Each structure stands twice: as C-alpha cells, then as structure tokens.
Amino acid sequence: MPPQEGKSQRASRRFPLWALTRNPDLRVAIASYEHGVARRWGRTIRDDITTHGPDLGLKVRDDLAAQHEWQLAGHEGGVYAVGIGGALTGRAVDLLIVDDPIKDRAPKPTPPRTGNARGTGGPKSAPPA
C-alpha cells in the first residue's frame, strides 16, 4: 500500500486495541524507527481505552499509565513502546508490532532502460570502431 493509506492506524492502533479486548492479559510491544513514533501509538491506544473503557470492558491502571508503558487494571496486559535499538531485553511480549522500522524509506531506484522505444534490444553495446 502507498504511504498515508492507514496501515499504521490498522496495525499499530486498531489491532492491538482489538487484541486487548479479546485478551486483556496480552502484553503488546510496539517498535518503530524512533521512540517518539512508537510512544505516540502507545498514547493513542491508552487514550482510546480511557475514553471508551466502559464500552470495551477495559481500564488503564492509575499507577502505570505512561505514554510509552501502561498496563490494564486487574490484568497483565498492556502496551510497551520502544524505538528500534531500544531495550526489550527481559520483557515478556506476546504480540510484537514493528511499524515503520526505517525512517523516510525511499523507493528503490528504477534501473536505466536499455534498448529502443519499442522495448526491443538488449544491453547497449559499444559503437563499432
């Protein structure tokens, strides 16, 4: 899919929220190229639960509710957000989401075309001497 088509909204926001409604003990980690990007998704999911908690049957713990790390009240589940290269060592994770691991990914350059306008011909050869 092209950029700005909602991939991150689906993968990093809606899917973890849906998964936590199905299993509130699910430990989710979101990794991105930069910690601030991953933290934004952690904050957004947390805010969704805070806003719609009664309808979802979920509540964020008051004592563990930071943007980058929060847990559900009465459950083991929650979200931990980290930048690529950040520390996940020693953390139990049930669902790992890697969203935009490379900043400003550029498309692969197209190799130069060879041959004539009709698409025939092979590699260009040296002119006769």
Side-chain angles (χ1 to χ4, degrees):
M1 286 179 80
Q4 302 301 311
E5 290 292 325
K7 297 180 298 293
S8 291
Q9 281 286 330
R10 291 181 189 105
S12 297
R13 179 183 186 182
R14 304 297 184 195
F15 177 65
L17 180 59
W18 175 83
L20 286 166
T21 63
R22 300 300 183 263
N23 180 2
D25 291 316
L26 192 70
R27 297 163 297 192
V28 179
I30 300 174
S32 187
Y33 70 87
E34 197 264 330
H35 182 249
V37 175
R39 185 180 63 225
R40 180 184 71 212
W41 293 119
R43 178 183 66 237
T44 304
I45 299 165
R46 181 201 64 190
D47 292 350
D48 286 344
I49 292 172
T50 301
T51 302
H52 305 287
D55 296 331
L56 299 172
L58 301 173
K59 181 181 182 325
V60 176
R61 278 178 48 177
D62 293 327
D63 62 332
L64 188 54
Q67 295 178 29
H68 72 285
E69 181 177 14
W70 52 266
Q71 189 173 353
L72 294 171
H75 298 281
E76 294 296 317
V79 170
Y80 180 71
V82 64
I84 297 294
L88 277 174
T89 306
R91 285 193 178 271
V93 173
D94 302 307
L95 173 62
L96 173 62
I97 296 171
V98 179
D99 182 29
D100 290 332
I102 302 169
K103 182 179 179 180
D104 297 331
R105 227 177 330 182
K108 290 175 93 174
T110 305
R113 289 187 54 155
T114 59
N116 64 28
R118 289 188 210 134
T120 61
K124 292 184 180 179
S125 58

